[in-house]
Amino acid sequence: MFEQAIEKNKDNLVEDVLKCVGINSVRGEAEEGSPFGSGPKKALEHTLKLAESMGFRTRNLDNMIGYAEYGEGEEMIAVLGHLDVVPLGDGWDHDPLGELCGDRIYGRGTLDDKGPMIGALYALKAIKEEGVSLKRRIRLIFGTDEESGDEDVDRYNETEESPVMGFTPDADYPVIFSEKGLARFRIEKNLDSKTLISASAGEAVNQVPDLAKAELRLEDGTSRKLEAQGKAAHASTPWQGENAIAKLMEKMAECQLPGDLKSFTDFFSACVGDKTDGKGLGIAHDEGKFGAVTVNAGLLEGNENRIVIWFDCRYPYGMDFEEAFKSAAQKAADFGLHAELERNTPPLYVPEDSVLVETLQRIYQEQTGTKADPIVIGGGTYAKAMKNIVAFGPVFPDQENVIHQKNEYISVPNLLNNTKIMAQAMYQLANA
Ligand SMILES: [Zn+2]
């Protein structure tokens, strides 16, 4: 129903994605009036202005998060996404601040999540242009702190209305009915032997590290440098990578180590190794349709006095992680190490037969002509931060996922497909 209105606006849509991507909105230093730095604020102001030009009511909440709204009605449904981005990074073959090349729009945020959110604006514009009747209001919520800590949604939840239903186009298709819980913990050992000079690996705990280094002081006073290469991957799919910390621990174990350092490498080879299922730590668990535990050793830090590894663990709905963690802590203690749970975000579950999941699933099937069941992901989205929201799109099952990588792009056909699917989803959820 909205296809023609969307196709007609195709050139403007592409241009507005490029304009939004052109604003570098990595979180920066807080300034007066811009709590996440000037970039995220600029991207928010720019997008709300675009929404106003389309005739929508807008509101900016302290330059942290804002929204555009259309329609009347007691209740409201929402599309929640974000305008902040991860750092641009190196190695691009295209302008990371936006470049149209063939039918691909390259740039940081094209897929995650500016492209889909500008698409959502054009979807709402198509709904307005068609003049269809709506039982509920439709609100597009633009966050600016998704990549750094969700302080934006906290601000929204403080004073603003919760949607009765909604989706966040910030993960994968088809609809995601469950997101695993996210736990972060560290395992450490204080050192007296002065053998370890340094050890380091990883840039973020939610990545499989691709490089790990250590330097040891040998008995004859010389030093030995060790290095291990791995393959990077996201911590929610650690089996896709090769963990450089695991390889470095093996290399260290081959050296003559004093007792304190040896207990650390012994623990690692007995309880972690290159496995990602958590079995050795005593936290392996498979909860059927909700998936299984994954564990990633993401960060390593070491010096003369201490060696630490931080772990990222994704666990399924239905599992009591704090209970399970006790056995990991006990295993560490058996080797004279200390384990500490630093963060635990519970899993998300919205029943497959809920109106929300069923409606999105049906729309996906109608719009793409492919049958697909609702899925579980290990990644966490905004859906965990706001009530009655599930993740839906923008990445199609057969599509290369370039989120957070160099040469991030969205193809124009995919942008249009997303926009059409979102228009149907908004319209049908507003009238469900
Ligand atoms: Zn995102």
Side-chain angles (χ1 to χ4, degrees):
M1 182 188 333
F2 308 110
E3 312 219 332
Q4 278 182 346
I6 290 166
E7 289 285 347
K8 188 187 75 190
N9 284 309
K10 176 179 144 186
D11 292 345
N12 291 329
L13 167 58
V14 170
E15 197 176 308
D16 278 324
V17 170
L18 281 166
K19 277 186 192 158
C20 193
V21 168
I23 301 167
N24 186 346
S25 52
V26 179
R27 181 169 174 153
E29 289 291 309
E31 290 163 31
E32 177 80 42
S34 38
F36 310 134
S38 60
K41 174 189 174 181
K42 242 183 251 168
L44 179 61
E45 285 176 339
H46 170 87
T47 305
L48 292 179
K49 204 180 256 179
L50 176 63
E52 268 163 39
S53 77
M54 293 176 174
F56 304 132
R57 305 182 286 273
T58 66
R59 180 131 194 247
N60 181 338
L61 302 165
D62 306 329
N63 293 317
M64 294 173 99
I65 190 164
Y67 58 80
E69 191 177 79
Y70 174 68
E72 308 297 330
E74 264 302 298
E75 295 182 331
M76 173 266 286
I77 64 117
V79 180
L80 172 63
H82 64 96
L83 301 172
D84 59 314
V85 292
V86 295
L88 306 183
D90 302 319
W92 287 71
D93 302 309
H94 301 272
D95 186 347
L97 292 175
E99 181 184 332
L100 182 64
C101 186
D103 73 351
R104 290 179 173 185
I105 312 169
Y106 285 93
R108 181 60 79 223
T110 48
L111 191 57
D112 177 24
D113 190 33
K114 289 172 169 174
M117 285 313 286
I118 300 296
L121 261 179
Y122 275 84
L124 191 58
K125 180 176 159 75
I127 288 171
K128 181 170 175 261
E129 285 174 1
E130 290 291 332
V132 291
S133 65
L134 301 170
K135 276 197 334 210
R136 302 185 171 107
R137 286 167 288 133
I138 300 173
R139 184 176 285 191
L140 309 184
I141 307 173
F142 303 95
T144 62
D145 188 38
E146 197 274 342
E147 304 290 3
S148 308
D150 290 357
E151 278 180 59
D152 51 352
V153 181
D154 294 343
R155 170 64 191 87
Y156 181 94
N157 289 336
E158 256 170 44
T159 56
E160 302 304 306
E161 176 186 355
S162 295
V164 291
M165 284 186 282
F167 63 91
T168 177
D170 195 22
D172 303 306
Y173 285 119
V175 58
I176 293 162
F177 77 101
S178 179
E179 294 179 12
K180 288 182 187 172
L182 169 61
R184 298 217 167 129
F185 58 91
R186 66 170 194 273
I187 293 180
E188 65 193 331
K189 172 82 182 161
N190 289 329
L191 304 172
D192 300 316
S193 61
K194 309 291 177 205
T195 300
L196 185 68
I197 298 169
S198 67
S200 65
E203 278 160 19
V205 69
N206 64 359
Q207 294 288 324
V208 177
D210 59 357
L211 180 65
K213 291 178 179 178
E215 189 171 2
L216 301 172
R217 190 176 285 118
L218 302 180
E219 276 187 358
D220 63 5
T222 61
S223 74
R224 172 145 182 226
K225 286 185 177 165
L226 301 172
E227 195 176 301
Q229 301 268 351
K231 187 178 151 221
H234 194 263
S236 60
T237 53
W239 59 85
Q240 292 174 353
E242 286 170 34
N243 197 307
I245 293 176
K247 295 183 180 196
L248 182 75
M249 287 293 126
E250 268 176 44
K251 287 190 175 179
M252 278 175 65
E254 287 163 12
C255 302
Q256 281 279 3
L257 297 176
D260 53 4
L261 210 47
K262 188 170 182 310
S263 63
F264 194 84
T265 57
D266 283 351
F267 162 80
F268 196 90
S269 77
C271 299
V272 187
D274 59 0
K275 301 288 186 296
T276 58
D277 59 4
K279 209 169 172 184
L281 288 164
I283 56 173
H285 183 79
D286 190 329
E287 189 74 30
K289 68 177 180 182
F290 295 107
V293 164
T294 62
V295 176
N296 174 54
L299 292 169
L300 164 71
E301 229 176 73
N303 55 39
E304 278 196 345
N305 305 313
R306 180 177 177 243
I307 183 164
V308 197
I309 293 178
W310 279 270
F311 293 85
D312 175 300
C313 173
R314 315 282 164 135
Y315 65 94
Y317 181 84
M319 177 181 179
D320 182 344
F321 188 81
E322 286 182 20
E323 191 54 39
F325 184 71
K326 288 179 188 163
S327 68
Q330 185 54 52
K331 297 216 175 206
D334 291 345
F335 286 82
L337 315 184
H338 175 70
E340 188 83 35
L341 183 58
E342 295 183 348
R343 176 182 161 189
N344 183 12
T345 308
L348 172 96
Y349 171 48
V350 179
E352 298 95 305
D353 61 359
S354 61
V355 173
L356 175 57
V357 172
E358 265 190 1
T359 304
L360 294 177
Q361 185 63 10
R362 181 170 41 75
I363 291 165
Y364 178 79
Q365 297 191 160
E366 284 167 4
Q367 294 287 310
T368 62
T370 52
K371 201 184 152 354
D373 292 327
I375 56 170
V376 179
I377 57 166
T381 73
Y382 263 156
K384 282 187 178 148
M386 191 176 288
K387 276 185 214 153
N388 310 321
I389 298 275
V390 294
F392 183 57
V395 180
F396 292 95
D398 55 352
Q399 192 186 331
E400 179 187 14
N401 191 341
V402 288
I403 284 175
H404 295 191
Q405 307 194 23
K406 65 179 181 181
N407 297 327
E408 178 181 343
Y409 73 91
I410 190 167
S411 74
V412 175
N414 270 349
L415 177 63
L416 287 170
N417 282 340
N418 265 296
T419 304
K420 291 170 191 172
I421 291 171
M422 285 191 286
Q424 274 300 330
M426 289 178 208
Y427 171 62
Q428 296 201 28
L429 290 179
N431 288 313

